[in-house]
Amino acid sequence: MQFTTPAGRNPIDQLKVVGKPVTRVDGPLKVTGNARYAYERHEVVPNQAYGWILGATIAKGRIIQIDTAAAEAEPGVLKVLTTLDRDPVPPGFRATVHLFGGAEIQHYHQAIALVVAESFEQARAAAHLIAVEYETAHGRFDLAAEASGAKPIADRDSPDSPIVDRVGDFDAAFAEAPVTLDESYATPDQSHAMMEPHATIAAWADGTLTVWTSAQMIGWHREDLAHMLGLDKEDIRVESPFIGGGFGSKLLLRVDALLAALGSKATGRPVKVALQRPLIINNGTRRAGTMQRIRLGATRDGRLTAISHHSLNGNLPGGFAEAAVAPTRLLYGTPNRDLALKLAILDLPEGNDMRAPGEASGLMALEIAMDEMAEKLGLDPVEFRIRNDTQVDPAKPERPFSERHLIECLRTGAERFGWSRRNPSPGAVRDGKWLVGLGMAAAYRGNLVTPSKARIRLERDGRLTVETDMTDIGTGSYTILAQTAAEMMGCPLGSVKLALGDSAYPASSGSGGQWGANNSTAGLYAACVKLREAVAARLGFNAEDAAFADGMVTSGNRSVPLAEAAKDGPLTGEDGIEYGDLDKRYAQGTFAAHFVEVGVDSFTREVRVRRMLAVCDAGRVLNPITARSQVIGGMTMGVGAALMEGLAVDRRFGYFVNNDLGGYEVPVHADIPHQEVIFLDYPDDKSSPMKAKGIGELGLCGVGAAVANAVYNATGIRVRDYPVTVDKHLAEAPQRA
Amino acid sequence: MRPFTYERAASPAAAIAAVTATPGAKFIAGGTNLLDLMKFEIETPTHLVDVRSLPLATIEDTEEGGLRIGALVTNTDLASHPRVKRDYGVLSRAIVAGATGQLRNKASVGGNLLQRNRCPYFYNTAVPCNKREPGSGCSAIGGVSRSLAVIGTSELCIAQNPGDMAVALRVLDARIEAMNAAGKTRTIPIAEFFRLPDFTPAVEFALRPGELITAVTLPPPIGGSHHYHKVRDRASYAFAIVSVAAVLHEDGTGRVAFGGVAPRPWRVERAEAELPQGSEAVVAAAFDGAKPTQDNAFKIPLAERALALVIAEGRG
C-alpha cells in the first residue's frame, strides 16, 4: 500500500479495539516465565555448548600473539577461536568497528577470543588461562583534550541538513539582541543498561544458519550476519520473539551473534553466547558524551531572534556524531540560527544509537538554556516557550508541521501540575530540611516513517494469525498489532494469534527510533486491507461496502460470519506500507511538556524527585496502557540521566571503569515518585493510516533538563554538567543553605 | 571461577580444622561477596567450608546488659531484632541502608564484616592492584577515584571500606569474637579489626589464618538518639559516598563515625569530643591529615554537612 496522501476515514477510526486500554497480550507469558529470551531457549536445539568471550585489555594497539594451549587443555573445552585466526570481518550497518578478526585493537574489551566448552563455567574458567601479548599504542580517551582537533561533520540521520546549518545571520542578530545567553553544557557517556544482555544461540544445518538472538531489527541483523559470514541472507534465519530491553543497543548486530555463529561452525555444535555486563559497556556501544555551547538572543519581550547550538563529541575514526543539535532545528521559531556538529577522534568503545539519539542529549542542554534565558527575561519558562512556538519548519517556512500542539501540552501541563504555585525566585521554598523546586522542559522528537510489511491469515476456525518480523522490545508490539488486526477484521482480540520476530515472516520496520508502533501497525493495516478484499471476494461482497464487525461481514442486509470465508481453506492478506513524500512536505514530530518537582536536602544537596508529569502530543494513542508504560520508562531514564548515569573513563587505560550495574547506577524504585502522563488526542492523518506517531523516545526527551531546572529552582545553583550529583553541587555552592 | 571442593562443617572446631588443613581454603556463609569475587577470579579458593549450619545464629542478652550476636545472624534478622531496634537503633538503621532486602536476607554478620572493598580497579584483573597482587601498583591513584577513601590511605592503596553495618558497630564499640584452631576464642575490639593499608594493603582484617568469627558483642546500651545518614547517588542499593553513624546525647556530647571515607569505619575519639562545638570542629579534627584526590575531596565538606544534618535531627 502506498501512503501518499493524508489518510481519510478508515476502519481504525472506529476505535472499538484500537485506542482502548488493553493489557499486554503477552503479559501472562512473561509473568509465568514462559516468554523465553534468547539465552534461555534451551528447547530450540539440543546439545548446546557454551561460549565465553574474552575481551582485549588494551584500548589501542595490536596483538603480538595469543597462547591458547592452557585453555584448550582444560576439561570440557571444545574449541578456542582467536581473532588472529581470521581477517577482520567488515563493519556492520551503521557501525564503525569490526567485531572480530585481525590483530588490530580499536577499543578496550574488543572481542579477541571465544572459548567454547561443555559448560558455562568451564568456558569462563578456561578463558582466564589465555595469555595475550600486546603492543600498546597511544590512545585518545579525553574529549576535552581532543576538542581542538575536532572536525565539522554532517548529521548522518539528517543528510539534507548542511554541515554548518545557518539560517539568516546569526552573528548580527546575536550581536544586536538586547538579551543574550552564552553557556556551555556537558553530557556524559551513557550505557543503555538494558536488563537482558546481548545473547545468541547459533546452530548450523546443511550450510544454513539459525540464530536465536535478542535483536531490535531482524532484517539488519540478518543482513549483517550474511555480510560478515559471506553467506546469502536467504541461508540465515534470525529469531527474536522476546527482547528484554534494547534502547538502541540491539539495533545493530553485536559480537555475541557473530561469535556464536563462528563457534558453532568450528565445533559442529549449537553454541550460546552472551555478553558479560562489562563487555556490554566496553565492547558494545555507548551514547557518546557531548560538550555543547548554546547562544540565544532575544527581544525584551521574549522572542528568540538568534539561536546557536554547537555540539562536540568523540568517536572512533569513521564514526558518527551525536546529533545533539537535531531538536534545535525544529523546536522553536527563530529567524537566525547557527547549528553545527563537531567530531573528535576518541579510541573508546563506539558511540552509536541510544534511545532518542541526538534529541535526548541536545534537549538536556537546550532546555536548560531556555530556562536560563527565561529567567534573564523575567518571563515564566512556560510562557517563554509558548511565545517561541512555531507551526512551520523554521528553515523552510513553506513546510508546516502535520500536527503540532506543543502549546497545549505546555498549558495543560502547567494547569495540571500546579505550575502557578511555583516560586520563580530560586531557593525560596522549604519543606523541613528540603529545598523544594519545580522545573519544566519542552520536548521534541521526530516521527520517522519507514516501510513495514505483514501477513495476516484467516484460519478455518475464524481465528487470525499475524506474521511479521516486527519485534517487541518490551514496548507492547504484540498488543497493538493484535488490536490493529482485531479492529480491521471485526474480531475479538482473543482470536488474533501473533507470530513476531522471525526472519521467515514479512520484513517490518523493526523497533527503534520510536518508529515501531506506527509503522508496524500501518504495515499490518495494509495486509488487513488485502485480507478484507479476499474475504469479500470469497463471500461475494463488494470490498468497498463490506463492514467487518462482531465476527460478521455485512453489506446491505446480508451478514455472514467471517469464518465462513475460510471454510474451504485459509485466506491470506499480505502487504506492506510504503510512504510517499508526506514527511517531506510536512514536518512530522512529536511534542511534550515535562514538569518535575524535586526536593534537595539543604544539608547534603542530595536530590530526590517528588512528582513528575508528562503531557504528550504524539498522534493517535494506540493503547493508553502500553503508551503510558513507554512514557514513564522514558521519564525514569531521564531521571537517571539527570541525576546519576555516567560512564567514567580511565584516561590512562582507555576503558569505562564503572562497567557493571553496581558502578553504573540507574534509578531504582526508591528514586521514582508519582508519575503522571497525559496524552492529547490529535490523530495525525499525514503520518499513516493509523494516524499514530512515535512515543517511546518522546518520554525521555527533555526530562533531564526539567529535573535540572527544578534543582535550580530549589537551590539557585545551576549545574550544567550532567549528571547533577552532590559533588558538582557542592563545588558550585560551598555554603550551606 | 576456578574449580574448588566444598564441605559443610558440623561444628566450629571442625570448620576451623578443615580450613587450617587445606591450603587455599576459605569459609563461606551467605556468599554475597565471595561468590562474585570467585567469578572474577579475584578470590580463588581451592576449598570452601560452608559454616551456615553451625549454631551461631542466635542473639542473646549478655550478663552486663549488652547483646551477643551470633556470626550467622542474617542482616535482616539483626536489623529487625526488638532489642537492636530499641537500644542500638544506629545499627538497625545502618543495616537497612545497605544492599537490598534479598542480599540482607543472605548476608551474615560475620561475612558482612569481611566484605571486601569496592574499588573499581580491584575488580579488573587486567590492571595493577596492590590488594590483588601485592607489589603490582595502585591503579586507583591517578585514576577514577570519586568513590574512594580520603583518609587512612597509603601510597599503595586508597580503597575505602564500603560497609554500613560496620560503621554503626564502630560507634557502638562492638567486639568481635574469633575462634582459632586450638579452640581458643579471642576478642578483637572493632577499632582494631580493620587494618589500614600502610605497606600491606592486601591484609585487610586483624583475623589470623584459620580464625573464624563466632560472634559480635555489643556493650550495654548507651542511650542517646541514634542516627545513620547515608549519602549516595541514588536512593537505594548504592554504596555510600559518605555516611555518618552517630549517637547523640542531650548535653551535646556523643559518638560519631564516618563510612565511605576510609579503609575502615572512621571514628576519631578526640574529634568526637568536639561534638558540643558542632560539626565543623568534629570534621576538622576527624579528617586532619586527609589526603583526598581531586575526584573525592568533596567527601570532606560532604561529611561535615551530613554530620550537621544528623546533629540537627538530634536536636529534633
Side-chain angles (χ1 to χ4, degrees):
Chain A
M1 174 182 286
Q2 294 291 323
F3 183 72
T4 54
T5 56
R9 185 162 173 82
N10 67 44
I12 297 296
D13 294 321
Q14 301 172 94
L15 298 181
K16 288 180 180 170
V17 194
V18 169
K20 292 284 186 274
V22 174
T23 56
R24 282 169 196 268
V25 297
D26 52 331
L29 280 181
K30 289 189 169 167
V31 297
T32 57
N34 287 306
R36 294 287 180 88
Y37 294 83
Y39 203 79
E40 303 162 341
R41 300 198 68 184
H42 316 300
E43 79 292 355
V44 291
V45 54
N47 209 21
Q48 297 172 11
Y50 293 79
W52 177 268
I53 300 170
L54 183 68
T57 55
I58 66 167
K60 191 165 176 62
R62 57 199 311 278
I63 296 174
I64 307 297
Q65 62 172 353
I66 302 180
D67 182 351
T68 60
E72 282 168 316
E74 281 288 289
V77 171
L78 300 169
K79 186 78 185 172
V80 180
L81 311 182
T82 87
T83 190
L84 300 181
D85 298 342
R86 58 184 303 125
D87 290 335
V89 297
F93 177 58
R94 283 173 80 82
T96 304
V97 292
H98 69 275
L99 293 174
F100 195 66
E104 189 197 352
I105 300 300
Q106 291 178 289
H107 64 89
Y108 205 88
H109 274 175
Q110 180 176 317
I112 58 171
L114 177 78
V115 180
V116 183
E118 293 289 350
S119 79
F120 173 81
E121 289 76 12
Q122 288 169 330
R124 181 176 59 186
H128 275 269
L129 300 175
I130 296 173
V132 186
E133 188 185 334
Y134 298 102
E135 182 181 281
T136 304
H138 171 74
R140 295 150 290 189
F141 311 120
D142 182 349
L143 179 58
E146 302 301 325
S148 61
K151 302 270 192 316
I153 184 170
D155 176 355
R156 73 169 170 180
D157 290 324
S158 182
D160 296 340
S161 298
I163 289 183
V164 178
D165 182 349
R166 291 208 172 105
V167 175
D169 185 343
F170 169 80
D171 293 327
F174 186 71
E176 286 164 17
V179 186
T180 59
L181 174 101
D182 182 352
E183 286 291 355
S184 295
Y185 306 86
T187 62
D189 297 296
Q190 292 179 341
S191 174
H192 308 80
M194 67 291 178
M195 197 179 289
E196 183 205 18
H198 302 273
T200 301
I201 300 170
W204 294 79
D206 304 325
T208 67
L209 172 68
T210 302
V211 294
W212 295 268
T213 190
S214 187
Q216 294 177 226
M217 304 293 293
I218 298 293
W220 294 2
H221 281 237
R222 189 189 196 194
E223 281 170 24
D224 270 352
L225 264 182
H227 186 46
M228 291 179 196
L229 296 170
L231 290 176
D232 187 327
K233 75 174 185 180
E234 299 306 322
D235 290 332
I236 298 176
R237 183 157 176 187
V238 176
E239 284 191 41
S240 184
F242 296 104
I243 295 124
F247 309 121
S249 70
K250 296 170 182 169
L251 283 172
L252 311 181
L253 186 84
R254 301 309 312 170
V255 74
D256 57 303
L258 176 66
L259 286 182
L262 292 175
S264 178
K265 183 113 190 165
T267 59
R269 295 268 297 270
V271 170
K272 63 161 65 175
V273 178
L275 283 189
Q276 310 95 285
R277 186 64 62 174
L279 263 64
I280 291 174
I281 287 176
N282 280 306
N283 177 294
T285 57
R286 66 191 159 101
R287 187 200 297 280
T290 63
M291 295 169 65
Q292 303 181 44
R293 180 185 181 198
I294 293 178
R295 286 173 289 169
L296 302 177
T299 60
R300 291 200 191 282
D301 66 350
R303 314 271 164 194
L304 284 172
T305 54
I307 188 164
S308 170
H309 191 170
H310 289 195
S311 179
L312 163 73
N313 72 278
N315 213 338
L316 288 160
F320 87 108
E322 183 66 40
V325 306
T328 315
R329 293 190 195 112
L330 290 164
L331 187 49
Y332 300 114
T334 172
N336 303 290
R337 80 177 184 199
D338 161 42
L339 312 179
L341 298 173
K342 273 191 170 182
L343 188 68
I345 301 300
L346 288 181
D347 299 300
L348 289 172
E350 180 169 0
N352 217 313
D353 298 306
M354 181 168 148
R355 198 176 194 176
E359 273 93 349
S361 308
L363 289 167
M364 285 169 79
L366 177 64
E367 287 300 289
I368 293 184
M370 289 295 285
D371 199 63
E372 298 195 67
M373 192 62 169
E375 186 178 38
K376 282 192 170 206
L377 292 161
L379 261 183
D380 182 275
V382 173
E383 176 59 27
F384 180 43
R385 287 167 173 87
I386 288 171
R387 285 190 194 176
N388 289 287
D389 186 52
T390 177
Q391 291 296 315
V392 297
D393 178 345
K396 298 174 194 154
E398 71 284 5
R399 181 181 183 233
F401 282 93
S402 55
E403 294 281 341
R404 174 171 167 133
H405 307 277
L406 177 61
I407 291 176
E408 188 177 336
C409 291
L410 291 161
R411 291 205 165 120
T412 303
E415 164 76 24
R416 292 288 286 267
F417 202 68
W419 183 254
S420 62
R421 294 197 296 276
R422 170 181 179 264
N423 188 326
S425 302
V429 179
R430 271 189 181 258
D431 175 9
K433 73 170 182 176
W434 297 99
L435 303 167
V436 180
L438 302 189
M440 56 80 54
Y444 165 83
R445 170 71 175 145
N447 179 60
L448 300 169
V449 292
T450 183
S452 192
K453 293 180 190 160
R455 181 161 59 221
I456 181 165
R457 198 165 52 244
L458 177 66
E459 312 286 3
R460 283 169 188 270
D461 60 2
R463 294 165 69 88
L464 295 163
T465 303
V466 172
E467 293 173 337
T468 167
D469 81 359
M470 179 59 187
T471 49
D472 188 325
I473 57 174
T475 41
S477 306
Y478 279 100
T479 311
I480 57 173
L481 288 166
Q483 288 173 274
T484 302
E487 189 80 75
M488 288 298 289
M489 303 311 299
C491 291
L493 202 58
S495 67
V496 184
K497 178 171 172 274
L498 283 300
L500 304 187
D502 187 332
S503 62
Y505 304 144
S508 73
S509 62
S511 300
Q514 76 169 12
W515 65 61
N518 178 50
N519 293 293
S520 69
T521 54
L524 177 57
Y525 171 95
C528 289
V529 169
K530 282 275 192 286
L531 180 59
R532 285 166 64 114
E533 288 168 2
V535 167
R538 180 72 58 90
L539 296 177
F541 286 119
N542 183 344
E544 301 287 304
D545 307 333
F548 291 68
D550 305 322
M552 305 294 286
V553 187
T554 305
S555 182
N557 53 10
R558 184 170 160 237
S559 203
V560 182
L562 177 64
E564 186 76 15
K567 72 177 188 326
D568 297 330
L571 286 180
T572 300
E574 181 168 346
D575 199 3
I577 191 83
E578 289 180 23
Y579 296 92
D581 64 352
L582 285 172
D583 63 329
K584 299 272 188 298
R585 283 156 55 200
Y586 297 89
Q588 292 187 15
T590 63
F591 307 89
H594 288 283
F595 292 82
V596 173
E597 178 180 321
V598 300
V600 181
D601 189 309
S602 58
F603 290 91
T604 62
R605 300 291 176 177
E606 290 162 274
V607 178
R608 296 289 178 257
V609 178
R610 296 179 153 204
R611 285 192 298 141
M612 307 180 79
L613 165 68
V615 183
C616 302
D617 168 29
R620 169 174 284 153
V621 172
L622 300 174
N623 180 330
I625 291 181
T626 55
R628 178 179 182 277
S629 288
Q630 283 298 291
V631 175
I632 64 173
M635 292 158 79
T636 302
M637 198 177 239
V639 170
L643 298 179
M644 63 195 80
E645 290 185 44
L647 290 166
V649 63
D650 185 293
R651 299 192 180 98
R652 305 158 304 170
F653 300 119
Y655 78 104
F656 295 118
V657 300
N658 53 343
N659 51 38
D660 60 31
L661 293 179
Y664 185 83
E665 292 182 13
V666 299
V668 295
H669 285 91
D671 292 297
I672 302 303
H674 180 70
Q675 295 174 317
E676 191 179 351
V677 181
I678 296 169
F679 295 109
L680 304 185
D681 182 23
Y682 288 105
D684 190 333
D685 64 3
K686 321 283 191 310
S687 172
S688 82
M690 301 302 293
K691 305 175 187 173
K693 291 192 282 198
I695 193 99
E697 299 186 333
L698 182 65
L700 165 63
C701 291
V703 175
V707 174
N709 293 339
V711 170
Y712 173 74
N713 182 244
T715 62
I717 296 155
R718 188 67 83 174
V719 177
R720 300 182 182 86
D721 176 15
Y722 289 98
V724 182
T725 46
V726 163
D727 41 339
K728 292 173 191 164
H729 225 122
L730 295 192
E732 298 288 330
Q735 298 307 311
R736 208 158 44 236
Chain B
M1 187 183 278
R2 296 210 192 140
F4 58 90
T5 51
Y6 170 90
E7 70 179 285
R8 183 163 281 219
S11 70
I16 295 163
V19 163
T20 307
T22 316
K26 274 192 166 292
F27 301 114
I28 183 167
T32 57
N33 190 204
L34 179 60
L35 292 177
D36 282 349
L37 295 169
M38 288 169 66
K39 290 172 188 171
F40 285 109
E41 298 197 8
I42 295 164
E43 295 269 17
T44 52
T46 56
H47 182 64
L48 287 182
V49 178
D50 190 333
V51 297
R52 278 177 297 178
S53 51
L54 304 185
L56 301 172
T58 56
I59 302 176
E60 298 159 354
D61 294 344
T62 62
E63 286 179 15
E64 301 78 40
L67 273 189
R68 185 170 184 281
I69 303 155
L72 289 169
V73 171
T74 68
N75 280 188
T76 298
D77 287 347
L78 180 58
S80 57
H81 189 272
R83 270 210 69 197
V84 174
K85 286 165 75 172
R86 188 186 74 199
D87 295 335
Y88 305 99
V90 63
L91 178 57
S92 186
R93 284 168 200 161
I95 291 170
V96 299
T100 64
Q102 293 94 327
L103 286 166
R104 295 194 296 268
N105 288 342
K106 288 295 283 181
S108 66
V109 168
N112 186 280
L113 284 169
L114 296 173
Q115 76 165 312
R116 302 203 64 189
N117 75 91
R118 304 286 169 167
C119 175
Y121 299 98
F122 178 69
Y123 278 83
N124 182 356
T125 52
V127 301
C129 171
N130 286 325
K131 276 193 189 293
R132 269 190 287 104
E133 290 176 65
S136 63
C138 173
S139 297
I141 295 172
V144 175
S145 58
R146 179 176 178 267
S147 64
L148 301 179
V150 297
I151 194 163
T153 55
S154 79
E155 288 176 11
L156 300 184
C157 182
I158 59 171
Q160 89 283 30
N161 182 296
D164 292 300
M165 182 189 81
V167 188
L169 290 177
R170 179 70 182 86
V171 157
L172 294 170
D173 282 334
R175 298 169 73 83
I176 290 128
E177 291 182 7
M179 187 187 282
N180 69 10
K184 288 237 165 37
T185 294
R186 70 174 174 127
T187 301
I188 309 164
I190 191 162
E192 296 165 18
F193 185 77
F194 299 100
R195 301 272 302 261
L196 294 181
D198 294 323
F199 299 105
T200 54
V203 182
E204 295 174 326
F205 308 105
L207 287 180
R208 296 175 189 136
E211 281 188 320
L212 174 69
I213 298 175
T214 50
V216 173
T217 57
L218 299 180
I222 56 169
S225 63
H226 286 227
H227 307 267
Y228 191 76
H229 188 83
K230 180 176 180 179
V231 182
R232 43 190 158 178
D233 287 324
R234 64 181 172 191
S236 179
Y237 200 24
F239 292 102
I241 303 171
V242 165
S243 69
V244 177
V247 177
L248 303 175
H249 300 297
E250 286 188 2
D251 63 1
T253 64
R255 300 180 184 181
V256 58
F258 298 93
V261 295
R264 58 166 57 145
W266 196 250
R267 180 176 172 203
V268 178
E269 276 79 352
R270 112 186 116 69
E272 76 191 13
E274 304 285 334
L275 266 171
Q277 276 64 55
S279 55
E280 289 179 16
V282 174
V283 167
F287 289 86
D288 185 25
K291 289 184 180 157
T293 66
Q294 197 176 346
D295 283 358
N296 66 20
F298 74 98
K299 286 191 174 195
I300 299 170
L302 182 59
E304 188 277 318
R305 285 161 173 258
L307 178 58
L309 166 62
V310 161
I311 291 172
E313 280 176 359
R315 291 195 189 112

